[in-house]
């Protein structure tokens, strides 16, 4: 009892083959889209690689690029096969290849699904990576004279300006690190030496933030020094003042940005997965109906197409038995100690039964 | 004496028609591109409209959009005409259409050239407009509580951060303007009172700039107050410090940005102009060579195509004569009527 059997007339088969040919080419295009999405994501992550601490975040774009390549190749082959399916003589060339092709494509669609889920699951990894990366970047903000770190100041400043954020979680993160280099601190001044002495590690900490934290929408000129000292500025209360500095932390801002990208990409990959699955179903129907036509002998007759010849349970059991027998086959023949009585009747063949891979 | 006469055997005519069809579709695409480039330029100019004093510079993108739309129509018709040209039965219906079509196309082609020249010529106009607009923007920077001017601060800040510029000509423009509002000045403080008294207009001027002038590429944290006072900051010399603030003035930065845009667009429009001229020339040759075929028994004979039937001077003279005749005709008629019947009402003016 076949699964989802459909009867195909000759014209219906031809139409199916033509439609599938076009759909396979569309799938090649979607494969290229997948490829370009993967590249885009890779470039976006690379642009901020100074702020990310580990390299594992590259696994998602790399997977998308690989899957895109495979999708293009598989659908190109599928297009060729479907183009040849209209003619029964040409179909014979592909007959043996089609079933392995369908199985490979079926497992490939699982890869696509895995890719889509990875997009959504990457958020946690990204959050950790950004948290540590941003912390390091802020710590090395002052080291503009150290090779390898000299661009971190510019990177962090441009990040805060572009993403409209300040610090890791908020502007107070800048109070806990020394972001003014010792080169620009006048050590002869009492105030500076007092501050250095009052700190355990000898760091110059103050309630100041870099200029890139300033919010242009503020009605008053930016207050970046003595931010928590109300008496230092006229008509200023830092607990009420909302527009002076950016309120968001950069980790949250970057995370929102990347999550938004990943969600759109994940959705696109899911849609592509659905499309690939439907094309695969069409190819399976085409394959089974073409094979039934060949079995019947008349190329113009009606034939049946199905997804599976028997029900799910029977097919699963059958394949499982084959896999079991594959193992048994080798065990019985190679052991010389077992007294294996072979029948010596004339005309009988001593060849053990060949394993049949999947009934078609 | 015919202008640029060429012989067209049947095959050559067919080739010409096919080539023209392809060219005309390419020209349609280029017309669409011109329109979209005009639209893009207009959007970019509109984005900074608050720091521009007048909108005269918008003439350039408006012209480009008009040209783009017109060339879409012109080249679409060129394609249709050349499709019909090889069919002797359909071609005659375009006959009366051709002369006004060519005059209109010529007009828009010249307008293309004018648009490109305008984009270079209006640089001075743009510069003036920006000079006044930026001056006002900097003057009203502090008026965040005055309706109508409350967004100037945000506009100028974002402008300086985006275009990496400071002030009108340079950062010293901020020293001449009070950019800190009186609302945030402590009038009980001696320092504030001294500064205000020392200024003739009673303005609070400082040698400081807003934070948006700060250059992120500077190795040291930004110095925005007491810029000319070397002793106020450790290890600081304001004459040698180059990276602290943005050095170009915003007028210069904006002018070079827009001129860069208009130069690239101008180069594109010039290439589209060449395409358009070749379409029109081919169409004219096709029209003249097909007109010689009309009425003939054998449509595959060799004919001659030309650009103008008479020379350039003669054609222009003929056109002027036609126009003058049109005017004179009315005048002569009226004066004849006046003479013939005495006491007639004065002739209506010719036109």
């Amino acid at each position: 009892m076949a699964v989802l059997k459909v009867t195909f007339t000759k014209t219906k088969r031809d139409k199916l083959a033509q439609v599938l040919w076009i759909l396979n080419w569309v799938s090649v295009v979607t494969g290229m889209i997948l490829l370009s999405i993967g590249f885009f994501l890779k470039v976006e992550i690379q642009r901020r690689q100074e702020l990310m601490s580990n390299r594992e975040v590259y696994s998602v774009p790399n997977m998308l690029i690989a899957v895109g390549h495979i999708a293009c190749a598989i659908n190109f082959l599928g297009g060729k096969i479907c183009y040849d399916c209209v003619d029964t003589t040409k179909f014979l060339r592909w007959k043996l290849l089609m079933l392995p092709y369908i199985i490979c494509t079926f497992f490939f669609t699982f890869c696509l699904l895995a890719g889509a889920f990875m997009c959504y699951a990457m958020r946690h990894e990204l959050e950790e990576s950004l948290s540590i990366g941003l912390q390091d970047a802020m710590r090395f903000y002052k080291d503009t004279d150290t090779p390898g770190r000299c661009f971190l100041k510019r990177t962090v400043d441009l990040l805060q300006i572009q993403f409209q954020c300040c610090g890791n979680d908020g502007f107070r993160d800048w109070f806990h690190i020394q972001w003014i280099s010792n080169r620009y601190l006048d050590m002869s001044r009492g105030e500076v030496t007092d501050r250095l002495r009052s700190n355990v590690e000898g760091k110059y900490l103050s309630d100041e933030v870099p200029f890139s934290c300033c919010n242009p929408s503020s009605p008053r000129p930016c207050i970046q020094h003595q931010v928590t000292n109300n008496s230092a500025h006229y008509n200023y209360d830092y607990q009420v003042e909302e527009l002076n500095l950016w309120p968001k932390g950069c980790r949250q801002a970057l995370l929102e940005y990347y999550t938004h990208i990943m969600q759109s990409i994940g959705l696109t990959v899911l849609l592509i997965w659905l499309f690939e699955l439907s094309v695969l179903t069409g190819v399976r129907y085409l394959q089974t109906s073409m094979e039934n036509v060949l079995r019947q002998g008349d190329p113009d007759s009606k034939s049946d197409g199905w997804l599976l010849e028997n029900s799910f349970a029977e097919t699963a059991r059958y394949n499982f038995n084959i896999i079991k027998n594959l193992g048994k086959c080798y065990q019985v023949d190679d052991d010389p100690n077992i007294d294996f009585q072979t029948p010596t009747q004339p005309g009988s063949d001593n060849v053990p039964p060949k394993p049949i891979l999947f009934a078609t | 004496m015919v202008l640029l006469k060429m012989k067209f055997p049947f095959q050559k005519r067919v080739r010409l028609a096919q080539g023209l069809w392809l060219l005309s579709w390419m020209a349609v695409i280029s017309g669409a591109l011109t329109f979209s480039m005009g639209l893009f330029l207009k959007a970019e100019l509109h984005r900074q409209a608050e720091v521009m004093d007048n909108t005269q510079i918008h003439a350039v993108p408006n012209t480009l959009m008009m040209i783009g739309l017109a060339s879409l129509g012109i080249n679409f018709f060129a394609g249709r005409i050349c499709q019909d040209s090889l069919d002797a039965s359909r071609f005659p219906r375009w006959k009366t259409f051709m002369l006004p079509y060519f005059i209109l196309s010529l007009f828009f082609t010249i307008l293309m050239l004018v648009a490109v020249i305008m984009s270079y010529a209006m640089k001075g106009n743009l510069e003036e407009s920006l000079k006044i607009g930026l001056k006002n923007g900097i003057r009203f920077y502090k008026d965040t509580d005055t309706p109508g001017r409350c967004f100037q601060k945000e506009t100028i800040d974002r402008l300086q951060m985006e275009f990496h510029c400071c002030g009108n000509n340079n950062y010293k423009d901020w020293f001449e303007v009070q950019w800190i509002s009186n609302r945030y000045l402590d009038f009980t403080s001696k320092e504030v009172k001294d500064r205000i008294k020392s200024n003739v207009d009673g303005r609070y001027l400082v040698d400081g700039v807003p934070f948006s002038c700060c250059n992120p590429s500077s190795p040291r944290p930004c110095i925005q107050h007491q810029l000319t006072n070397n002793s106020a900051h450790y290890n600081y010399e304001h004459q040698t410090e180059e990276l602290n603030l943005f050095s170009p003035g915003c007028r210069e930065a904006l002018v070079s940005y827009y001129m860069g845009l208009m130069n690239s667009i101008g180069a594109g429009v010039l290439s589209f102009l060449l395409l358009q001229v070749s379409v029109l020339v081919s169409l004219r040759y096709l029209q003249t060579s097909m007109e010689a075929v009309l009425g003939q028994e054998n449509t595959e004979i060799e004919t001659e195509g030309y650009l103008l039937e008479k020379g350039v001077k003669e054609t222009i003279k003929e056109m002027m004569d036609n126009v003058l005749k049109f005017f004179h005709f009315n005048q002569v008629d009226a004066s004849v009527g006046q003479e013939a019947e005495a006491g007639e009402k004065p002739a209506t003016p010719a036109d």
Side-chain angles (χ1 to χ4, degrees):
Chain A
M1 176 230 98
V3 177
L4 290 176
K5 188 161 71 172
V6 175
T7 316
F8 287 99
T9 55
K10 166 117 177 86
T11 42
K12 221 169 157 189
R13 267 201 307 276
D14 287 345
K15 200 152 272 169
L16 182 66
Q18 282 168 349
V19 165
L20 281 177
W21 176 69
I22 294 173
L23 283 183
N24 267 306
W25 277 106
V26 172
S27 285
V28 172
V29 170
T30 59
M32 288 200 264
I33 290 174
L34 212 54
L35 200 66
S36 50
I37 286 177
F39 272 124
F40 164 73
L41 191 59
K42 192 162 184 163
V43 162
E44 274 295 308
I45 293 178
Q46 238 167 13
R47 266 194 352 190
R48 318 241 172 253
Q49 68 178 8
E50 288 169 320
L51 303 166
M52 297 205 205
S53 62
N54 69 10
R55 299 275 161 259
E56 274 174 29
V57 289
Y58 281 111
S59 60
V60 176
N62 286 338
M63 167 144 202
L64 284 176
I65 291 173
V67 161
H69 273 118
I70 299 174
C72 280
I74 281 185
N75 289 305
F76 181 71
L77 184 62
K80 276 201 80 62
I81 293 176
C82 291
Y83 188 71
D84 286 345
C85 274
V86 181
D87 192 353
T88 37
T89 47
K90 285 205 206 143
F91 173 68
L92 288 169
R93 277 198 297 181
W94 297 109
K95 191 165 134 97
L96 288 174
L97 187 61
M98 269 194 100
L99 191 59
Y101 167 79
I102 288 176
I103 294 168
C104 279
T105 314
F106 185 64
F107 285 121
F108 168 70
T109 51
F110 281 124
C111 287
L112 263 181
L113 202 59
F117 283 135
M118 269 172 85
C119 285
Y120 289 107
M122 201 177 113
R123 188 201 152 99
H124 180 67
E125 244 173 56
L126 198 61
E127 184 161 6
E128 260 178 52
S129 171
L130 277 175
S131 174
I132 301 171
L134 276 171
Q135 224 174 19
D136 285 340
M138 279 167 59
R139 253 186 326 141
F140 303 140
Y141 184 87
K142 65 178 180 358
D143 296 333
T144 47
D145 53 347
T146 313
R149 296 184 199 160
C150 49
F151 281 108
L152 275 175
K153 176 184 179 292
R154 186 164 181 267
T155 307
V156 172
D157 278 334
L158 288 175
L159 176 78
Q160 294 191 144
I161 292 174
Q162 187 191 343
F163 283 86
Q164 300 183 346
C165 59
C166 187
N168 213 335
D169 295 310
F171 64 86
R172 284 171 205 272
D173 295 326
W174 290 106
F175 299 169
H176 306 308
I177 57 168
Q178 178 181 354
W179 58 273
I180 304 174
S181 172
N182 285 337
R183 305 196 308 282
Y184 309 117
L185 290 173
D186 187 3
M187 299 299 180
S188 58
R189 273 173 59 199
E191 187 231 326
V192 176
T193 39
D194 278 344
R195 247 189 225 276
L196 284 171
R197 248 182 281 153
S198 68
N199 180 267
V200 175
E201 294 154 32
K203 289 196 284 183
Y204 181 85
L205 304 179
S206 59
D207 54 349
E208 291 171 359
V209 290
F211 77 93
S212 41
C213 280
C214 288
N215 185 352
S217 313
S218 165
R220 83 183 286 168
C222 185
I223 291 166
Q224 24 159 170
H225 305 287
Q226 294 177 304
V227 174
T228 48
N229 184 359
N230 284 348
S231 52
H233 314 279
Y234 183 67
N235 196 10
Y236 175 66
D237 184 356
Y238 80 92
Q239 270 137 348
V240 174
E241 197 77 38
E242 287 175 337
L243 286 174
N244 186 39
L245 303 174
W246 296 119
K248 227 195 280 190
C250 286
R251 186 180 64 220
Q252 188 197 349
L254 275 173
L255 203 60
E256 272 174 18
Y257 172 72
Y258 278 117
T259 308
H260 178 70
I261 292 182
M262 302 299 269
Q263 274 174 355
S264 337
I265 291 180
L267 191 66
T268 313
V269 175
L270 272 177
L271 286 174
I272 292 179
W273 171 71
L274 281 172
F275 185 67
E276 289 272 346
L277 212 57
S278 54
V279 170
L280 185 65
T281 316
V283 171
R284 172 64 172 166
Y285 272 123
L286 187 66
Q287 181 227 359
T288 45
S289 59
M290 289 301 292
E291 292 208 341
N292 284 331
V293 157
L294 286 177
R295 218 178 282 166
Q296 284 167 15
D298 177 14
D300 291 333
S301 66
K302 281 211 264 194
S303 68
D304 290 333
W306 50 62
L307 287 180
L308 290 173
E309 191 165 4
N310 306 310
S311 65
F312 278 118
E314 283 180 37
T315 319
R317 213 182 309 135
Y318 186 75
N319 290 326
F320 190 59
N321 282 334
I322 289 176
I323 294 172
K324 261 203 314 191
N325 287 331
L326 257 177
K328 274 205 196 135
C329 205
Y330 289 120
Q331 274 179 7
V332 169
D333 277 346
D334 288 309
D335 196 331
N337 293 327
I338 293 177
D339 190 14
F340 193 70
Q341 291 285 348
T342 56
T344 48
Q345 286 162 346
S348 71
D349 41 313
N350 292 341
V351 182
K354 269 209 300 262
I356 306 165
L357 284 169
F358 299 107
T360 50
Chain B
M1 182 225 85
V2 184
L3 186 68
L4 291 176
K5 193 162 60 173
M6 271 178 77
K7 286 199 186 293
F8 285 100
F10 177 67
Q11 265 309 102
K12 210 170 169 188
R13 272 207 301 279
V14 171
R15 281 272 147 75
L16 180 66
Q18 287 170 338
L20 179 60
W21 186 79
L22 202 66
L23 269 182
S24 70
W25 278 109
M26 276 166 57
V28 166
I29 293 172
S30 70
L33 275 175
T34 310
F35 176 76
S36 49
M37 286 199 293
L39 202 62
F40 171 70
L41 185 62
K42 194 170 175 93
E44 281 294 302
L45 282 170
H46 186 73
R47 225 161 43 106
Q48 310 295 344
E50 285 174 344
V51 293
M52 287 193 210
D53 184 49
N54 60 31
T55 52
Q56 282 172 16
I57 189 70
H58 282 251
V60 175
N62 289 344
T63 316
L64 280 176
M65 290 202 287
M66 207 167 50
I67 290 171
L69 284 176
S71 83
L72 270 176
I74 289 173
N75 294 303
F76 174 72
F77 277 115
R80 301 243 58 176
I81 292 173
C82 86
Q83 249 180 341
D84 285 348
S85 64
L86 291 175
D87 185 352
S89 57
R90 294 219 297 252
F91 188 62
R93 66 178 176 171
W94 293 108
K95 226 170 134 73
T96 48
F97 179 70
M98 293 304 282
L99 185 62
Y101 172 81
F102 273 117
I103 293 177
L104 208 65
S105 317
L106 216 60
F107 169 69
F108 278 109
T109 312
I110 296 174
L111 201 62
M112 256 194 201
L113 198 61
V114 165
V116 174
I117 295 172
M118 241 195 339
S119 72
Y120 290 104
M122 294 202 82
K123 175 176 171 174
N125 194 302
L126 179 67
E127 204 157 343
E128 270 306 308
S129 167
L130 279 172
K131 186 164 160 192
I132 300 170
L134 280 169
K135 203 159 90 149
N136 286 337
I138 291 174
R139 245 181 342 141
F140 303 142
Y141 184 86
K142 64 177 178 5
D143 297 332
T144 46
D145 53 348
T146 313
R149 296 184 198 162
C150 50
F151 282 109
Q152 287 285 12
K153 178 183 179 293
E154 189 173 351
T155 308
I156 297 280
D157 277 336
R158 286 193 192 275
L159 180 77
Q160 293 191 144
M161 289 200 289
E162 185 184 336
F163 286 89
H164 294 195
C165 60
C166 187
N168 208 335
N169 300 310
N170 54 34
Y171 66 90
K172 300 203 190 177
D173 295 324
W174 290 104
F175 298 172
E176 297 155 15
V177 159
Q178 179 181 354
W179 55 274
I180 304 173
S181 172
N182 286 337
R183 305 196 305 284
Y184 309 117
L185 291 173
D186 183 8
F187 283 97
T188 57
S189 141
K190 184 175 179 308
E191 188 237 325
V192 174
K193 278 196 282 199
D194 280 345
R195 237 184 233 279
I196 290 182
K197 249 186 277 172
S198 70
N199 180 266
V200 174
D201 304 316
R203 290 185 296 166
Y204 181 82
L205 302 180
V206 288
D207 55 347
V209 291
F211 77 94
S212 42
C213 280
C214 287
N215 188 353
S217 309
S218 164
R220 82 182 287 169
C222 185
I223 292 167
Q224 22 158 172
H225 303 291
Q226 293 179 303
L227 282 165
T228 49
N229 184 359
N230 285 346
S231 51
H233 315 278
Y234 184 67
N235 196 10
Y236 173 67
E237 166 94 39
H238 83 271
Q239 267 130 356
T240 51
E241 196 75 39
E242 287 174 340
L243 286 174
N244 186 39
L245 302 175
F246 291 127
S247 49
C250 285
R251 187 178 74 223
E252 182 192 328
L254 278 172
V255 165
S256 67
Y257 171 69
Y258 282 123
M259 289 321 287
L261 260 186
M262 290 206 268
N263 283 349
S264 348
I265 291 180
V269 172
L270 274 178
S271 52
F272 294 155
L273 177 72
L274 285 172
L275 188 64
Q276 181 77 63
V277 165
S278 56
V279 164
L280 287 177
V281 162
S282 319
L283 189 63
R284 176 66 173 163
Y285 271 128
L286 191 65
Q287 177 215 4
T288 45
S289 59
M290 284 310 292
E291 276 179 355
V293 169
L294 286 177
Q296 300 272 5
E297 286 276 325
N298 178 16
T299 52
E300 298 191 7
I301 54 168
E302 182 176 298
T303 52
E304 279 179 356
Y306 48 80
L307 284 182
L308 290 172
E309 201 165 351
K310 310 188 174 75
V312 181
K313 275 204 220 124
E314 289 179 28
T315 319
I316 293 178
K317 210 156 71 90
E318 210 179 290
M319 271 172 49
M320 294 299 292
D321 281 345
N322 280 342
V323 171
L324 286 173
K325 218 194 303 179
F326 183 66
F327 288 134
H328 280 163
F329 183 61
N330 289 339
Q331 279 185 9
V332 165
D333 228 359
S335 60
V336 160
Q338 214 173 21
E339 282 169 9
E341 294 152 24
E344 263 280 331
K345 287 201 293 269
T348 52
D351 220 13

